[in-house]
Amino acid sequence: MGYSENTTGLVLAMVSSLFIGTSFILKKKGLKRAAAAGTRAGVGGYTYLLEPLWWAGMITMIVGEVSNFVAYIYAPAVLVTPLGALSIIISAVLAHFMLRERLQRLGVVGCILCIVGSVVIVIHAPQEHMPTSIQEIWILAIQPAFVIYVAATISIVAALMFHYEPRYGQTNMLIYLGICSLMGALTVVSIKAIGIAIKLTLEGISQIAYPQTWFFLAVAVICVITQLNYLNRALDTFNAAIVSPIYYVMFTTLTIIASAIMFKDWAGQDASSIVSEICGFITVLSGTILLHLTREQEPANPPGNISWYDGEDIKVMKDGHYIMLNDSNYFR
């Protein structure tokens, strides 16, 4: 029974990667078209909502996320999440042909490393332990270790959103991707809880009346909306072939940590299996980093200057730096 459920989760995760990898490219092309007609998403614009190609990418991503959602019901996060490396390969290849973002030979080696690492993880993945009620999941969620993790996550996200993003968001992609990844880890554990509740309900053990079910749903909605907002900004501001692997590395690492703390995915596994999974994961990370290092980058900011009045002085953003209008560097 456990083997068949893991296999189901594996297939769904692979299908999810196909759709999500394609969605990155469609959304990027849509954002480019929208930027040509209005304000870029990277500086707070929303004209991409009128772009059909962006919506095509959005629908494709939803299909992929639904597949991913169901995969988490049948398989542990330590198996499902690393398989997202396949979406990196797909997006890198499509970006090479559709966005003219070159994929070099070492990038191909990176793709191969991602595949090899994924295979190692699949072979040594633990069997899923299925909770019998949403209340059992709630007990896992309020254990001290996970509560500390959630508190730390919320604190870091708040600092990134309100302090670092206004200052460095346009020049450092880790700001946007950090928010996406931290919220994404909470999304995964919430989605897994909701998925299990739906599965139990369909089997005749209704979980709808429990407030914990709706709490996990609310958390998932908030996290998903936040992810999409900042992922759009990252895609619009930076090279898609760089955003995809870095987002994958950060998201996967944080998701595995969150799931291991809450659901104790590695409980009952022997040391050799855990070490093999970690080695497979490191291999995947190496592949994504290699992809990152061998891809062409595009400028973080578009040509031109942006000026505004803050109540005291007129300020200008030039080449990614804030300066006063009377600063002599502005006139050089």
Side-chain angles (χ1 to χ4, degrees):
M1 179 65 176
Y3 175 78
S4 62
E5 288 190 347
N6 263 23
T7 302
T8 301
L10 170 63
V11 172
L12 288 169
M14 293 176 67
V15 171
S16 171
S17 294
L18 173 63
F19 281 95
I20 291 176
T22 303
S23 74
F24 271 107
I25 306 305
L26 293 176
K27 290 174 69 177
K28 178 70 174 182
K29 288 182 70 68
L31 288 168
K32 282 180 172 291
R33 289 186 181 181
T39 306
R40 297 169 52 243
V43 292
Y46 294 95
T47 54
Y48 62 85
L49 294 175
L50 302 176
E51 176 55 52
L53 196 57
W54 183 87
W55 281 107
M58 192 66 200
I59 293 172
T60 304
M61 175 171 277
I62 290 174
V63 173
E65 293 295 350
V66 169
S67 298
N68 203 44
F69 167 79
V70 180
Y72 279 111
I73 298 175
Y74 292 98
V78 69
L79 169 61
V80 175
T81 308
L83 290 178
L86 298 177
S87 69
I88 299 174
I89 297 173
I90 292 167
S91 64
V93 172
L94 291 179
H96 177 78
F97 293 104
M98 299 178 65
L99 299 178
R100 297 182 180 179
E101 298 175 359
R102 294 173 54 198
L103 178 62
Q104 300 177 8
R105 292 181 179 179
L106 285 178
V108 175
V109 175
C111 292
I112 295 173
L113 287 175
C114 289
I115 295 173
V116 171
S118 297
V119 170
V120 172
I121 292 172
V122 169
I123 293 174
H124 296 280
Q127 298 298 323
E128 173 75 331
H129 166 68
M130 183 67 68
T132 57
S133 70
I134 195 69
Q135 291 175 310
E136 182 179 343
I137 300 176
W138 181 254
I139 292 174
L140 296 174
I142 61 175
Q143 59 183 314
F146 189 69
V147 170
I148 293 173
Y149 173 83
V150 171
T153 295
I154 294 175
S155 299
I156 295 172
V157 168
L160 290 174
M161 291 176 64
F162 300 112
H163 179 74
Y164 292 100
E165 192 273 333
R167 295 169 173 79
Y168 311 112
Q170 291 292 302
T171 57
N172 190 335
M173 73 173 71
L174 295 181
I175 305 299
Y176 291 143
L177 298 185
I179 296 172
C180 291
S181 301
L182 287 164
M183 298 300 284
L186 297 182
T187 300
V188 168
V189 294
S190 300
I191 287 294
K192 187 175 181 68
I194 296 168
I196 292 173
I198 293 174
K199 184 174 184 290
L200 292 171
T201 300
L202 294 176
E203 292 175 350
I205 310 174
S206 179
Q207 305 294 306
I208 297 177
Y210 293 105
Q212 292 92 335
T213 301
W214 300 102
F215 174 82
F216 283 122
L217 179 60
V219 171
V221 170
I222 293 172
C223 291
V224 167
I225 292 174
T226 304
Q227 277 182 270
L228 290 176
N229 183 29
Y230 285 93
L231 181 57
N232 281 332
R233 296 189 183 190
L235 284 171
D236 186 57
T237 307
F238 303 99
N239 191 310
I242 299 176
V243 169
S244 299
I246 294 181
Y247 176 49
Y248 166 78
V249 170
M250 297 175 66
F251 170 74
T252 302
T253 302
L254 291 170
T255 297
I256 290 177
I257 292 172
S259 182
I261 294 174
M262 179 173 173
F263 291 101
K264 298 177 171 58
D265 290 333
W266 285 328
Q269 274 200 298
D270 56 56
S272 63
S273 294
I274 295 176
V275 170
S276 296
E277 291 169 39
I278 293 175
C279 289
F281 180 53
I282 292 174
T283 302
V284 172
L285 294 186
S286 300
T288 58
I289 292 172
L290 190 58
L291 273 171
H292 163 58
L293 294 176
T294 57
R295 297 307 300 270
E296 294 181 327
Q297 298 190 31
E298 63 186 33
N301 294 298
N305 305 326
I306 302 174
S307 60
W308 70 96
Y309 180 65
D310 68 352
E312 297 179 358
D313 302 287
I314 297 178
K315 298 181 178 180
V316 175
M317 176 187 286
K318 181 180 180 182
D319 300 325
H321 301 285
Y322 299 105
I323 58 178
M324 299 297 182
L325 185 59
N326 60 358
D327 191 331
S328 60
N329 290 325
Y330 175 69
F331 299 100
R332 292 179 180 175

